[in-house]
C-alpha cells in the first residue's frame, strides 16, 4: 500500500473534516483502495474496510500506535502501545465469504451501509436491526435468545476483523476489559494532526520566503524541516 503524500493528505482532510464518521471511513477506504469501485465500498464487509484503513495508517504513519482507554470499572486512564502489524497479522488470508449459516439462518457480513442505517438507534435496537439487515431470509423477531446468540457468533466468525479489540488490564483495579479500536478514527487522528502541521509549515514559510502552498508542499520533508528551523519554527 502506498503512503499518502502531503497534497493527497490535505485534500482528504479537507473533504473529510465535515463528514459523519461512517461517511469519512468510506472516503478514507476509497483513498486506501483505489482499485475498489467507489460505489462498492459501503457494501463491503467491515473487516475488509478496516483492514484497508489500517494498512494505509501503517504505510503513511508507521506501525506504532500510542493509545489510551478509560477503565470501565474505576475510570483510570490506561495508556497502551501497540504494533499495528500485530492486528494486521490476525486478518484472515482469504476474503470474507459472501455468507454463512447459523441456527438455520443465512447471514452476510455487516457493512458501512448497515452501520449507517442503525447509527441513530439505541444500542439494543441497533443490534437487532443490524442482525435483521444481515439476515438473507427470515426476520429476527422470530428468533429466540439462543438462535440470536448463535447468529451473532456466526457473524463474528464470518468477519472477525470487523470488531478490532485489545485486551487491557487496569493497573489501578485489576479489571480486565476489551478496548475497541476504530481503524477509521486511528487513521483520521493522524491525518488531522499531519494536516495541521503542514498548514503551519506553509503559513510560516510563506511568511518568511513568500513561497506559495504548492511550492512549500513540493519540498521534501527534510528540506522543509530545515527551512522551518531556520525561520525559528518546528515542523
Ligand atoms: Zn480500573
Amino acid at each position: 500500500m502506498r503512503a499518502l503524500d502531503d497534497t493527497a493528505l490535505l485534500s482528504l482532510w479537507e473533504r473529510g473534516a465535515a463528514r459523519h464518521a461512517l461517511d469519512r471511513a468510506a472516503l478514507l477506504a476509497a483513498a486506501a483502495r483505489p482499485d475498489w469501485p467507489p460505489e462498492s465500498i459501503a457494501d463491503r464487509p467491515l473487516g475488509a474496510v478496516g483492514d484497508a484503513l489500517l494498512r494505509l495508517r501503517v504505510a503513511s504513519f508507521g506501525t506504532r500506535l500510542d493509545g489510551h482507554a478509560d477503565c470501565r470499572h474505576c475510570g483510570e486512564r490506561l495508556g497502551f502501545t501497540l504494533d499495528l502489524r500485530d492486528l494486521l497479522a490476525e486478518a484472515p488470508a482469504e476474503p470474507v465469504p459472501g455468507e454463512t449459516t447459523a441456527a438455520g439462518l443465512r447471514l452476510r457480513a455487516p457493512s458501512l451501509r448497515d452501520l449507517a442505517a442503525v447509527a441513530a438507534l439505541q444500542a439494543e435496537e441497533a443490534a437487532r436491526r443490524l442482525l435483521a439487515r444481515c439476515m438473507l431470509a427470515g426476520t429476527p423477531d422470530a428468533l429466540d435468545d439462543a438462535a440470536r446468540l448463535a447468529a451473532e457468533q456466526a457473524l463474528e466468525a464470518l468477519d472477525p476483523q470487523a470488531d478490532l479489540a485489545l485486551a487491557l488490564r487496569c493497573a489501578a483495579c485489576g479489571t480486565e476489559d476489551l478496548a475497541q479500536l476504530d481503524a477509521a478514527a486511528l487513521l483520521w487522528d493522524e491525518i488531522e494532526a499531519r494536516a495541521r502541521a503542514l498548514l503551519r509549515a506553509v503559513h510560516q514559510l510563506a511568511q518568511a520566503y513568500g513561497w506559495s502552498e504548492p511550492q512549500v508542499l513540493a519540498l521534501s520533508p527534510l528540506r522543509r524541516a530545515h527551512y522551518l528551523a531556520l525561520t525559528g519554527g518546528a515542523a
Side-chain angles (χ1 to χ4, degrees):
M1 174 134 345
R2 277 178 48 194
L4 288 170
D5 66 35
D6 292 338
T7 305
L9 182 144
L10 280 178
S11 160
L12 260 186
W13 172 71
E14 200 168 28
R15 283 179 290 150
R19 293 198 189 200
H20 182 275
L22 293 170
D23 203 15
R24 185 184 290 154
L27 174 77
L28 297 176
R33 293 297 302 261
D35 55 321
W36 284 351
E39 66 278 8
S40 75
I41 288 172
D43 296 305
R44 287 180 182 268
L46 290 176
V49 171
D51 188 76
L53 298 177
L54 276 186
R55 286 180 197 280
L56 184 58
R57 162 65 170 75
V58 167
S60 303
F61 305 103
T63 59
R64 183 188 162 106
L65 168 66
D66 291 304
H68 58 76
D70 295 331
C71 173
R72 264 197 275 189
H73 184 65
C74 74
E76 177 85 359
R77 174 148 289 203
L78 307 171
F80 60 85
T81 298
L82 189 64
D83 188 328
L84 291 171
R85 281 171 298 193
D86 295 340
L87 286 183
L88 289 171
E90 289 166 17
E94 299 295 320
V96 171
E99 58 180 82
T100 188
T101 53
L105 304 167
R106 282 171 55 221
L107 301 156
R108 64 165 175 79
S111 65
L112 285 173
R113 192 186 303 283
D114 297 320
L115 290 188
V118 305
L121 303 175
Q122 302 282 350
E124 206 170 305
E125 177 63 8
R128 204 184 67 83
R129 286 294 312 148
L130 193 67
L131 182 56
R133 290 179 62 91
C134 293
M135 286 172 56
L136 295 168
T139 104
D141 297 328
L143 299 183
D144 59 22
D145 288 349
R148 186 168 308 199
L149 184 65
E152 282 166 2
Q153 286 171 343
L155 282 182
E156 214 174 293
L158 178 65
D159 191 11
Q161 290 292 91
D163 267 319
L164 295 175
L166 177 69
L168 286 179
R169 186 172 191 281
C170 177
C173 74
T175 299
E176 291 183 6
D177 202 358
L178 290 175
Q180 299 296 323
L181 298 174
D182 178 341
L186 296 181
L187 176 57
W188 182 253
D189 288 350
E190 298 290 341
I191 288 176
E192 201 158 42
R194 177 77 61 87
R196 288 181 197 283
L198 283 170
L199 294 187
R200 269 197 306 275
V202 169
H203 169 71
Q204 208 156 330
L205 295 179
Q207 272 193 328
Y209 302 112
W211 295 338
S212 67
E213 186 188 70
Q215 284 173 324
V216 173
L217 295 180
L219 294 171
S220 70
L222 185 65
R223 283 192 195 198
R224 201 186 292 144
H226 275 275
Y227 283 121
L228 279 172
L230 289 170
T231 63

